[in-house]
Amino acid sequence: MCRLLGYATAGFNLSLNAILGSENVAAFRELSEIHNDGWGVAQLSDPAETPYIRDGGAPTPETGTKIYKSTIAARYDSTFEALANEPARGALWHLRLASSNLPLIMENQHPFYANGLSFIHNGDISDANGRNIVTNRSYPVDHSVLLSTGGRSDTAIFFAVILEYIGFGFPLDEAVAQAVRELRQAYPKSSYNCMIQSEDQLVALRASGREVTSPRVVEIYDEYGRGAQAADYRVMRYRALEDENGAPAGVVVSSSGYEQGDWTDLENDQMIVASNRNGTFRLRSI
């Protein structure tokens, strides 16, 4: 049960503060009063050094990847401020509220990273009796792929299923769609809201089995006197980015919880597929 945010630009580096503005960044960060089980970010950027130079180790990268994860709530972690000012060509941001009492350990913090892909998720993949998928020892996931995610949570299993479909040859967006279709056969009411980022693309999906906020989430928000913010808890919205000349420059996608007056709702079972090379994006259903 988390909050997600991701963006892809037209191939140039922009910070989160430049994308959202400092007031909205502060409002997003303040959601960690509730989503206080750690946070993380995965950022892509074009490094200053010339790519592909052989300097004694691996060749210098064409795209730099930076991942930071913490079990400290974002509102108490000063690194959040530094990274919100760090320019990136694309980024995923995640505020965690651990699902089904899963342990607060670094292995379960988002973003997960494997095979050049970073992944974040908002959902609790459980059955009608509240049993999380991690307790289902017979669920048919390739355990070597699961190990590659480094995690032990329902999100790690979700990511592993996506990786399996990529291994079958599906493009990134269709691999996500196929994974959700498979998981829904056993867990139809769970939330699969997620974002995945490669060195070329951002895919952001809204796919919730229950569009109405669960009573437990409302109860948690009420405990903090913020019950009104739970009404659209499963909603994800997006806004096209423009450069200083008003030309298309990418897209930002986010969970709800802070001011998004000029944003557009993603429909349920709809995803954005965006390039972090040229900023173009499209919508598709799963």
Side-chain angles (χ1 to χ4, degrees):
M1 298 186 289
C2 308
R3 293 293 191 176
L4 318 177
L5 189 152
Y7 66 85
T9 75
F12 45 80
N13 297 334
L14 285 176
S15 70
L16 184 63
N17 280 323
I19 295 284
L20 289 187
S22 57
E23 289 187 7
N24 279 336
V25 170
F28 175 76
R29 182 185 187 185
E30 192 56 29
L31 290 170
S32 67
E33 177 186 23
I34 301 171
H35 298 266
N36 53 25
D37 291 326
W39 72 284
V41 59
Q43 297 171 307
L44 302 175
S45 62
D46 295 331
E49 66 266 31
T50 303
Y52 311 123
I53 294 176
R54 295 190 175 275
D55 54 359
T60 54
E62 182 266 342
T63 297
T65 302
K66 179 185 293 184
I67 296 178
Y68 179 86
K69 299 195 283 188
S70 173
T71 57
I72 300 170
R75 68 202 299 249
Y76 296 125
D77 191 340
S78 61
T79 305
F80 186 100
E81 298 171 14
L83 293 178
N85 282 315
E86 186 79 21
R89 193 178 75 218
L92 302 182
W93 293 76
H94 184 270
L95 306 177
R96 186 181 183 215
L97 182 62
S99 58
S100 297
N101 299 308
L102 294 178
L104 185 60
I105 55 176
M106 192 62 75
E107 295 95 312
N108 288 341
Q109 295 302 118
H110 307 217
F112 290 87
Y113 184 82
N115 297 353
L117 301 169
S118 45
F119 180 69
I120 58 177
H121 168 226
N122 171 25
D124 184 334
I125 304 178
S126 297
D127 63 19
N129 296 311
R131 292 186 295 259
N132 193 273
I133 191 173
V134 297
T135 68
N136 184 353
R137 304 300 181 187
S138 63
Y139 192 82
V141 62
D142 186 320
H143 286 277
S144 65
V145 178
L146 178 59
L147 284 171
S148 75
T149 71
R152 296 186 246 165
S153 67
D154 48 0
T155 296
I157 294 173
F158 185 11
F159 187 25
V161 176
I162 294 172
L163 292 173
E164 286 185 280
Y165 280 102
I166 291 171
F168 297 151
F170 289 95
L172 188 59
D173 58 318
E174 185 58 24
V176 174
Q178 291 284 350
V180 172
R181 293 181 193 122
E182 176 188 318
L183 287 160
R184 275 181 166 167
Q185 293 180 36
Y187 301 94
K189 296 300 183 181
S190 295
S191 171
Y192 301 98
N193 288 7
C194 67
M195 299 184 188
I196 191 167
Q197 175 180 254
S198 72
E199 292 187 1
D200 300 303
Q201 284 187 310
L202 165 70
V203 175
L205 170 67
R206 178 185 174 190
S208 180
R210 298 182 181 91
E211 293 191 58
V212 177
T213 307
S214 70
R216 177 56 182 152
V217 172
V218 174
E219 179 183 323
I220 292 170
Y221 270 70
D222 278 339
E223 289 174 3
Y224 290 89
R226 301 172 70 164
Q229 288 180 296
D232 59 354
Y233 177 72
R234 297 294 186 196
V235 174
M236 292 173 62
R237 300 185 175 96
Y238 67 95
R239 176 171 59 83
L241 304 177
E242 297 180 346
D243 64 19
E244 63 273 11
N245 299 315
V251 66
V252 56
V253 192
S254 179
S255 302
S256 58
Y258 59 99
E259 179 58 40
Q260 297 169 336
D262 60 344
W263 296 45
T264 302
D265 285 15
L266 270 179
E267 296 179 7
N268 202 29
D269 291 341
Q270 187 177 55
M271 68 168 64
I272 282 180
V273 184
S275 167
N276 59 50
R277 300 286 185 176
N278 59 31
T280 59
F281 66 92
R282 62 184 172 89
L283 301 174
R284 60 155 288 188
S285 298
I286 64 170

